[in-house]
Amino acid sequence: GRQFFVGGNFKMNGSVDTIKSIVNNLNQAKVDPNVEVVIAPPALYLLLAREHLRPGLEVAAQNVFDKPNGAFTGEISATQLKESNITWTLTGHSERRVILKETDDFIASKTKAALDNGLGVILCIGETLEQREANQTIDVVTNQLRAVAKQVQDWSKVVIAYEPVWAIGTGKVATTEQAQEVHAAIRQYLAKEVSQTASDNTRIIYGGSVSEKNCNELAKEKDIDGFLVGGASLKPAFVDIINAQS
Ligand code: 13P
């Protein structure tokens, strides 16, 4: 079976004090040992989080660049993350796609660079409300995946986060049926265009207004292998989401 995976995306939130307190809270919490837990604080706090977080819990960057080093002001490379024991990175978050204008190909290139350097990647995909209403959801997510599949053959260190843009930060969580339908379509896409192994083994997690109230129902769906949590990952309730299956 696929190991349940819960990520906390802090986005541009937190301070030295609040990151320390979130980390201490996680260190002391009763966390289901069968769940893979990864937190993604802002870049400035990655080392602080890694230093204080107990072994077994992992730290992810929210972003990575696709070159190893050089004149790329403001960027951080996969080799730099790896060297600092930051073992995961997000790529393709909708806030980077929409606000920072990242393209499918750029996201694919970053995903490849991260994987080539031994990082795990939480690859975020998802449709806007407009695209959903135009019945383009499956086309949108498969196109986002196809750009990555052109550059990446080995998906064993990729976790796919399906995050419908209309559900992010809105309190409008996808229904279990809506989420399961897209997760199943993603798995089908992997079987058809990547490999049966990738389809069977790749964790597909859901993100968008996940809370301690809605996580248990979502976690029961057969193709939902965990969550990527935004707002609630900053709160003690994050632990309940980690333990959604137990
Ligand atoms: P919220 O959980 O705040 O809706 O954010 C989801 C998200 O974007 C996680 O990456």
Side-chain angles (χ1 to χ4, degrees):
R2 297 177 293 266
Q3 189 185 15
F4 205 70
F5 185 104
V6 178
N9 175 10
F10 296 180
K11 311 192 179 185
M12 199 176 71
N13 294 298
S15 63
V16 170
D17 281 351
T18 60
I19 302 278
K20 276 189 188 163
S21 101
I22 291 167
V23 164
N24 286 335
N25 185 51
L26 280 174
N27 287 344
Q28 285 156 27
K30 261 203 159 172
V31 168
D32 181 340
N34 297 315
V35 179
E36 190 165 9
V37 178
V38 181
I39 58 165
L44 181 59
Y45 307 118
L46 286 169
L47 289 176
L48 177 79
R50 184 59 283 166
E51 188 189 336
H52 289 270
L53 195 62
R54 70 170 167 80
L57 305 179
E58 294 161 280
V59 180
Q62 295 175 12
N63 184 30
V64 66
F65 199 57
D66 64 347
K67 308 287 187 299
N69 49 55
F72 304 106
T73 302
E75 296 299 319
I76 298 175
S77 73
T79 45
Q80 291 171 325
L81 292 172
K82 187 75 204 260
E83 197 241 340
S84 292
N85 281 321
I86 310 305
T87 47
W88 286 87
T89 185
L90 272 65
T91 58
H93 193 279
S94 72
E95 285 145 23
R96 298 207 61 87
R97 292 178 187 268
V98 175
I99 304 168
L100 282 305
K101 309 272 188 290
E102 292 191 4
T103 64
D104 286 355
D105 288 341
F106 185 38
I107 291 158
S109 176
K110 293 184 200 218
T111 302
K112 178 178 166 39
L115 293 170
D116 285 351
N117 286 287
L119 298 182
V121 174
I122 303 166
L123 169 66
C124 306
I125 59 175
E127 82 288 0
T128 63
L129 184 59
E130 198 183 14
Q131 290 165 332
R132 173 163 284 267
E133 286 174 345
N135 283 319
Q136 293 168 344
T137 298
I138 305 300
D139 283 347
V140 169
V141 298
T142 51
N143 284 337
Q144 290 169 338
L145 288 172
R146 190 169 292 114
V148 175
K150 273 197 233 157
Q151 298 194 42
V152 168
Q153 281 76 48
D154 180 358
W155 286 62
S156 60
K157 296 193 82 170
V158 178
V159 170
I160 298 171
Y162 169 57
E163 301 203 299
V165 179
W166 47 270
I168 295 177
T170 57
K172 271 184 67 175
V173 66
T175 64
T176 51
E177 294 77 15
Q178 284 173 326
Q180 168 58 30
E181 183 193 15
V182 179
H183 283 229
I186 292 168
R187 213 172 284 295
Q188 239 172 45
Y189 166 86
L190 291 173
K192 217 172 93 209
E193 297 196 34
V194 181
S195 68
Q196 191 58 46
T197 307
S199 175
D200 291 340
N201 298 344
T202 305
R203 272 84 58 88
I204 305 173
I205 65 176
Y206 169 81
S209 296
V210 174
S211 74
E212 72 281 13
K213 295 194 180 72
N214 57 37
C215 63
N216 302 89
E217 283 307 305
L218 286 160
K220 285 182 195 151
E221 294 295 328
K222 84 173 172 41
D223 290 302
I224 300 180
D225 305 314
F227 302 110
L228 186 57
V229 185
S233 69
L234 302 162
K235 302 180 192 152
F238 186 48
V239 176
D240 300 325
I241 301 172
I242 293 171
N243 295 331
Q245 279 194 319
S246 46

